[in-house]
Structure formats: C-alpha cells, structure tokens
Amino acid sequence: MSLLGNLVSQVARQAMNPADAQHNPVNQRADTRRTGGLGDILGSVLGGSQGGGYNPRQYDRQPDNGFGLDDIIGGLTGGAQRGGVSAGAGGLGDILGSVLGGQRSQSGFGGKGMLIAVLMPMVLSWIKRNGGLSGALSKITGMGYENQARSWMSNQQDNENLDPNDVNRLFDESEIQQVAAHTGANEAEVRQGIAELLPEVVNQLTPKGNLDTEAEANEEIDQIIGQLSNRLGTLR
C-alpha cells in the first residue's frame, strides 16, 4: 500500500466531480484561522466524498485503491483506459496529472477539490526542496512549530494545523499568487488550503508516528513529482 494513495485518490475523485464547484465554491469570503483535524477546506473536500473510503487517522487506514485508481483514470479518459493502472505510487502522479491536465486550459474552475489537487504537488515539491521528509520537518520545527509537527506525525491525535498567516514563512508569495490565478481562489483560501494539506500529507507519510518510513516516503514523493513533470511539464 502506498503512503499517499488513499489521500490522492480521494482528492482526485472530488476534483473531477462536476458538482465540486457548486458544493465547494472557491473565492468566497475566507475566515483564515488555525484549525484542527482536516480543517475547513480539506475537510469539505475529503469529508464530502461520496462513499467514504478516507480515514485521516493513520492507525485505521483504508486501502488506497478502495475507489479504484483505474476508475479515476477511466473516468477522466471516458473509460478508454481500464486495467493496467498501478494502484501504487507509480500511478499517483498520473492520476494527479490527468486531473490537472484536464483543467490546464481553464482558469477559475472554482472547486475546492481542484484547489487541493493543485496544492498537492506544490506541497510535495516543498518537502523535496527542503531535503525530504526529515529535512522539511527540521525546518518546520526550527521555525517554532515543534508542537504542530509532533501532532502531524502522531497517530493518536488530530493534526494541529498551521496558522494560514504563517504560510508565507514556508512558501513564496509568488507561488501562492500563481495558484490563486490558476484556480480562481483568493490568496487567503490558498494559504488556508496549504495550512491544512501540509499537516495531512506529513501525517500520511509517517504511518508509524516516526521517520521509519522516510525512505519510502521520499521515494514516493519523487515518483509523483516525476510523473507530474512528465505529464504536465511544469514541475522542476
């Protein structure tokens, strides 16, 4: 089972839902605040997925292909591709790439599911740029977020999310502006989304509550980014 498979498949399923923009519109008045658990934006995406299948608690995970990663690709390609799609990390970049690639010619497509799908590779790239999982966690704790980082790795407590106003200490303003321009979200929503998604990604990459799976986590991040780069040609 891949570490991020369940999270990616649920985000992708919600992002490709035609009703996403109506159920979870972006560019609303955002009350940016520190949240717990999945938070406001991520919770509305994952909590609103039909049929369940996503459990944020590490010690009670569901199989990452409960929905069927081949179903996601098949849905995006009109059913042309069935079978032969890996349910492991090797297929996750293709899934995100298919979702994002189908929207590249559009702007302001409006749904929070798509916003989270766009933020996923941004968060993974940030982890990679900072030396992988342990390097990213070292940077976060070094900036005074030790309690938050500890809660992200724990499998006994909800995530203590970042204050969205502190996201600019980790991510460049230009990155936030670019996501806002491409999704139609306002910058406050982008910051809120990052503040909620980064903790959940770390949570899923540390299923044992420690860094025992770091090598697997970093390899999976590399695979996803590599596949996205090949498909979209946008990630470095």
Side-chain angles (χ1 to χ4, degrees):
M1 181 186 300
S2 68
L3 298 173
L4 290 174
N6 197 13
L7 178 60
V8 169
S9 64
Q10 290 297 315
V11 168
R13 174 164 60 180
Q14 188 67 14
M16 57 184 276
N17 183 350
D20 178 44
Q22 284 71 44
H23 292 165
N24 300 298
V26 299
N27 205 13
Q28 306 295 300
R29 293 186 61 182
D31 177 21
T32 55
R33 61 191 177 88
R34 180 178 295 174
T35 58
L38 290 176
D40 299 330
I41 292 180
L42 190 60
S44 70
V45 171
L46 299 179
S49 297
Q50 296 298 315
Y54 182 79
N55 191 321
R57 290 304 186 99
Q58 295 171 322
Y59 52 83
D60 191 20
R61 293 187 181 193
Q62 303 298 318
D64 64 347
N65 62 339
F67 173 65
L69 303 191
D70 54 346
D71 290 334
I72 297 174
I73 297 294
L76 290 166
T77 58
Q81 293 186 15
R82 299 288 301 182
V85 177
S86 171
L92 300 183
D94 279 339
I95 290 168
L96 283 177
S98 296
V99 173
L100 301 179
Q103 301 289 346
R104 292 188 74 192
S105 61
Q106 303 181 31
S107 61
F109 37 82
K112 290 180 180 177
M114 187 58 67
L115 172 61
I116 294 297
V118 171
L119 291 177
M120 182 76 73
M122 180 177 172
V123 166
L124 296 179
S125 294
W126 182 86
I127 293 174
K128 180 179 174 69
R129 288 199 308 268
N130 283 279
L133 184 58
S134 62
L137 284 169
S138 293
K139 179 168 185 174
I140 290 167
T141 57
M143 295 174 67
Y145 303 124
E146 183 175 358
N147 290 337
Q148 288 94 322
R150 187 180 298 114
S151 75
W152 304 349
M153 294 178 65
S154 172
N155 54 21
Q156 300 296 326
Q157 63 185 107
D158 288 337
N159 295 332
E160 181 181 343
N161 295 330
L162 291 173
D163 186 326
N165 296 316
D166 291 337
V167 165
N168 280 83
R169 298 182 64 191
L170 302 175
F171 292 83
D172 291 338
E173 179 67 21
S174 61
E175 292 181 284
I176 294 171
Q177 292 173 345
Q178 185 177 34
V179 171
H182 287 170
T183 62
N186 56 53
E187 293 182 22
E189 284 178 313
V190 174
R191 292 188 185 91
Q192 185 76 42
I194 294 171
E196 296 173 4
L197 181 60
L198 176 59
E200 185 59 23
V201 167
V202 172
N203 185 262
Q204 293 299 305
L205 291 174
T206 55
K208 298 180 180 179
N210 53 41
L211 292 172
D212 285 355
T213 57
E214 180 180 13
E216 181 184 353
N218 291 339
E219 181 180 2
E220 189 164 322
I221 290 171
D222 286 344
Q223 290 175 342
I224 293 174
I225 292 175
Q227 285 191 313
L228 282 169
S229 296
N230 291 336
R231 183 178 286 272
L232 301 179
T234 56
L235 297 178
R236 294 188 297 274

